Amino acid sequence: MAMRSGFREIFYLFLLMLLISSLQLLRFVLQRPLPQGVLTHEQMVLDLQLLQQQLSDYSAFVVLKPDRLNLLQQRVSQITARYPQNISLNRFNTEVRKLVSLIDDPGASVSALPLASALLPITVQQMQQQWLALDDSGQPLDLSRPFLSHVDGLPIALWLQAASTMATPKQPLAPLLQQLQVLRQELGLRDKDTVTLTLTGHNVDTVNIE
């Protein structure tokens, strides 16, 4: 008995839908799970939307200066375009810090530092316009050259500039300046196992240490 035309079309449509569903299920099964510490693009977008909403609702600075909210929205669009698939939590933390810094609100902050695997092997402490390079006991690494002038060959001013993009008002820069891996990413430097520190002092030659 021949299959009626209308029924045949419905039957073929059902087979097509079944095939599409099977292919989608196969894609889901074969898709590699994301490693720990990684957000999908969708998760990132939802978190950034929540961040914008929270800042819009609770930051008086955003209300007083709407242009900051517009700038924030532009940066969020740039971030979502820059990471079309996924983003590490460390990198996401850095991007959120930079977004919060844009509104320049003393009451807004990010509590957790990026969980970087590489930190400066020294402690830095500001002394007027210079930065002391201290050991674990709080003493200068070199008494005749107590100041840090370069990291990986770049002037300390560039590292400070990169760190300041993640800082909120009244937040000390020293903890952010310790984030070696994060700042290397910001400055476009490759990750490596060692770091070159240039020490300087008054009326003495500089010295590089690793």
Side-chain angles (χ1 to χ4, degrees):
M1 180 177 179
M3 191 180 300
R4 286 181 298 177
S5 175
F7 180 78
R8 182 169 57 248
E9 291 174 359
I10 294 175
F11 179 74
Y12 288 156
L13 180 60
F14 173 76
L15 288 179
L16 179 60
M17 293 176 61
L18 184 61
L19 176 60
I20 293 175
S21 299
S22 299
L23 290 175
Q24 290 177 338
L25 179 60
L26 180 62
R27 178 177 176 272
F28 176 78
V29 171
L30 295 179
Q31 188 177 28
R32 294 181 179 179
L34 290 174
Q36 288 187 340
V38 174
L39 293 177
T40 66
H41 179 79
E42 291 75 13
Q43 290 171 327
M44 177 188 67
V45 170
L46 289 176
D47 285 348
L48 290 176
Q49 290 175 346
L50 178 60
L51 173 66
Q52 291 182 86
Q53 189 62 49
Q54 292 291 315
L55 293 175
S56 178
D57 290 344
Y58 299 110
S59 174
F61 280 66
V62 170
V63 176
L64 294 174
K65 296 185 177 181
D67 58 308
R68 295 185 182 181
L69 182 59
N70 294 333
L71 179 58
L72 180 71
Q73 293 170 342
Q74 293 175 10
R75 294 294 176 84
V76 166
S77 298
Q78 293 171 1
I79 292 172
T80 55
R82 191 180 306 139
Y83 305 99
Q85 296 182 338
N86 54 66
I87 183 174
S88 71
L89 285 177
N90 288 342
R91 190 64 204 164
F92 184 68
N93 194 320
T94 301
E95 296 291 0
V96 168
R97 283 183 172 277
K98 292 164 67 177
L99 290 173
V100 173
S101 177
L102 285 176
I103 64 174
D104 201 28
D105 186 344
S109 63
V110 180
S111 58
L113 286 172
L115 303 176
S117 59
L119 302 174
L120 276 180
I122 61 172
T123 300
V124 292
Q125 179 178 319
Q126 189 170 9
M127 182 177 177
Q128 296 179 351
Q129 300 302 315
Q130 295 181 296
W131 288 83
L132 294 169
L134 309 176
D135 59 22
D136 292 338
S137 62
Q139 299 300 315
L141 295 177
D142 187 331
L143 288 175
S144 60
R145 302 173 181 83
F147 302 111
L148 181 65
S149 65
H150 294 70
V151 178
D152 284 343
L154 295 182
I156 191 66
L158 291 180
W159 295 85
L160 289 169
Q161 183 178 358
S164 66
T165 63
M166 297 181 285
T168 53
K170 300 181 180 180
Q171 180 182 8
L173 281 177
L176 293 173
L177 197 56
Q178 300 283 150
Q179 301 291 317
L180 178 61
Q181 183 185 44
V182 171
L183 296 181
R184 277 175 169 169
Q185 292 176 349
E186 289 297 300
L187 293 170
L189 301 177
R190 65 179 180 87
D191 285 335
K192 56 181 181 177
D193 296 332
T194 61
V195 58
T196 302
L197 306 176
T198 304
L199 304 180
T200 188
H202 299 295
N203 301 319
V204 294
D205 295 333
T206 60
V207 63
N208 292 330
I209 62 172
E210 290 193 6

